[in-house]
Amino acid sequence: MKLQQLRYIVEVNNNNLNVSATADSLFTSQPGISKQVRMLEDELGIQIFGRSGKHLTHVTKPGQDIINIANDILSKVEGIKAVAYEHTKPDQGALNIATTHTQARYALPKVISKFIKHYPKVSLHMHQGTPAQISEMAIKGEADFAIATESMHYYDDLIMLPCYHWGRSVVVNPDHPLAQTAKSRALTMEDIASYPLVTYVFGFQNKSDLEVAFNNAGLDPNVVFTATSADVLKTYVRLGLGVGVLASMAIDEEVDKDLVAIDVNHLFGYATTKIGFRKGTFLRSYMYDFIEEFAPHLTKNLVSQATSLKDHEQVNKLFENIELPIR
């Protein structure tokens, strides 16, 4: 059994059983990967992948267990390298962050700017995506940190630490009826549902707090346009396509002075942004510093405590008495 064989089966699985795509991603040949996978299966005496002719069709039950362990082994190998680099090149390395557009555009710029000045020899890479894509990148090791808010079920295999709370606002043009209503009283769910909405993709958040709130009120909102970008949503609000419902942090008083933002936290409550990483990850010093810069209460000591806990319930209990900032 070789590390190369373990890497092949993991990457074949990551590439949806497409051996050709796996070969391209690993800069090797398709026959070479197929041969090594077969050799591993022969050595173990089981099939890792089911086949139909020359094509892989599915991962077998024992194959999935083997792939899970292979992932852990490859992660440990990367951890060994990280330990060595921490002692030989403490201020050099790479940091990959996977997050949503809103976090990348509004929450992270100052943090990243300060980080780059402090660690000029660390190459930082930002990857944007949906919650499912973000978690997948972190689980596969393509991202060191996942920063996300909703659909936490995607992150069960990661250690997720709470960073801050954020609220939502309804955004309309100044001549919209809701702008006038908000001058005299707080908006209701019925008020908002009476108009076409532009908001974050519901599927993007998979039963988001927003969708749950409408469902609990017995309302079926008329969502006419969805996007993952708050900037795109504001553009379509300006065009009069509908009422925007988006993160309050995405509203810039200067840039968006032509729009009216109405606080609706009394309807939807606050969401919590979390930062996560794979269990067993060896965190470099600059990684601890990035976490603390993003969320000052997440000190190295507290993060280390969280990584030693067994499950999400224990992690949540660790933070239950810590008051998070609101953005």
Side-chain angles (χ1 to χ4, degrees), residues 98 130-140 146 154-155 158:
T130 66
Q133 293 168 336
I134 293 167
S135 65
E136 185 178 11
M137 283 186 276
I139 291 169
K140 288 180 179 179
Y154 284 124
Y155 306 92
L158 303 177

Side-chain angles (χ1 to χ4, degrees), residues 124-182:
L124 198 151
H125 309 278
M126 181 81 71
H127 310 274
Q128 295 179 45
T130 66
Q133 293 168 336
I134 293 167
S135 65
E136 185 178 11
M137 283 186 276
I139 291 169
K140 288 180 179 179
E142 297 171 0
D144 299 298
F145 294 142
I147 299 176
T149 299
E150 300 192 80
S151 298
M152 282 298 120
H153 63 281
Y154 284 124
Y155 306 92
D156 287 343
D157 293 330
L158 303 177
I159 297 172
M160 300 298 294
L161 310 178
C163 300
Y164 62 87
H165 299 309
W166 58 268
R168 295 178 179 83
S169 292
V170 160
V171 179
V172 295
N173 288 308
D175 60 350
H176 195 281
L178 287 183
Q180 303 306 313
T181 301

